[in-house]
Amino acid sequence: MKISELSDRSGLPVQTIKYYIREGLLPKGAATAATRAEYADEHLERLRLIRALREVGDLSVAAVKRIIGAVDDEAVGLHELLGTAAYTLSPAAEARPDEPDWRSAREDVDAIVAELGWQVSPDAPTRDLLAQAFLALRRLGRPIVWTDLRPYIEAATIIAEHEIGGIPVEGERGRAVQTAVATNVLYEKVLLALRRMAQEDASARRFGADAESR
């Protein structure tokens, strides 16, 4: 297909496609003349991945390059590839190892991960993210206790097993990353919305007018 058709099918302007080629995110097409090239379905798939990372993941070009590099490196296993995408997509949390309260919260996180037997990298950004939440809860007078945490752990485990089970293991490696982006970003919003609606329902049944009249 010509670049104009690639633009139509991908929904991206020609100039944007050319920019991605210059930045090394998209391979050049097969030259058919001095100023013309042909593009294949592989280019369309790559553009869909780039678009998901840029628009859904809200990632910079530099961050997309890191993920694209892992996709193209066949020596990078699928677990490492998905980890690269997940770590890049993960919200940043400022580690403060010089603060005793922060160190205590991070030690609690590490102890919970060890207790659960989860295979989570020691430098996973999510460890600091959870420690940040633990620290904020403590400062609000709501220290973390196992009975409060367990429902969240159980829910997270069920969701993670479902999401990872849906990752395609055959075909284009970029599709695995696309799936990870959708579950990490879009379904995270679905989960948040459902949780808030479930809370409203639970509140209505416990504290609403019908409940008070019983």
Side-chain angles (χ1 to χ4, degrees), residues 4-209:
S4 57
E5 183 183 352
L6 183 63
S7 173
D8 290 340
R9 294 180 63 183
S10 66
L12 293 169
V14 169
Q15 290 305 316
T16 299
I17 295 174
K18 290 181 177 180
Y19 170 70
Y20 290 155
I21 293 173
R22 290 195 303 272
E23 290 295 318
L25 297 178
L26 184 71
K28 293 181 179 179
T32 58
T35 58
R36 292 184 181 179
E38 285 288 327
Y39 298 88
D41 288 340
E42 289 76 12
H43 292 89
L44 183 59
E45 285 292 330
R46 175 56 55 87
L47 285 175
R48 286 171 176 163
L49 171 59
I50 295 170
R51 189 169 186 179
L53 293 170
R54 292 279 286 152
E55 297 180 7
V56 179
D58 195 26
L59 297 181
S60 67
V61 170
V64 173
K65 278 185 177 180
R66 288 197 297 273
I67 297 175
I68 293 296
V71 170
D72 289 339
D73 187 353
E74 294 291 341
V76 175
L78 188 56
H79 175 62
E80 185 179 350
L81 172 59
L82 294 175
T84 299
Y87 286 12
T88 305
L89 289 164
S90 180
E94 181 185 357
R96 299 189 294 274
D98 294 336
E99 297 182 13
D101 288 347
W102 168 266
R103 288 200 304 273
S104 177
R106 177 58 196 261
E107 287 168 3
D108 285 347
V109 170
D110 294 341
I112 288 169
V113 172
E115 175 69 21
L116 294 170
W118 282 358
Q119 300 179 59
V120 178
S121 173
D123 60 353
T126 44
R127 288 182 184 253
D128 287 341
L129 190 64
L130 187 56
Q132 186 180 63
F134 280 8
L135 181 58
L137 284 165
R138 283 177 182 168
R139 288 173 175 172
L140 290 173
R142 297 292 303 272
I144 290 293
V145 295
W146 190 257
T147 52
D148 288 339
L149 194 59
R150 179 170 290 280
Y152 298 94
I153 293 172
E154 292 174 351
T157 301
I158 292 171
I159 292 168
E161 292 289 345
H162 172 72
E163 291 177 342
I164 296 302
I167 297 288
V169 296
E170 302 292 339
E172 169 60 40
R173 283 157 56 89
R175 291 188 180 181
V177 176
Q178 274 185 270
T179 303
V181 171
T183 54
N184 274 296
V185 179
L186 297 179
Y187 269 95
E188 200 162 79
K189 294 179 181 179
V190 170
L191 177 61
L192 175 61
L194 289 172
R195 178 171 174 254
R196 295 280 170 81
M197 287 191 284
Q199 286 176 335
E200 181 178 345
D201 171 69
S203 175
R205 285 186 284 108
R206 184 176 182 186
F207 305 118

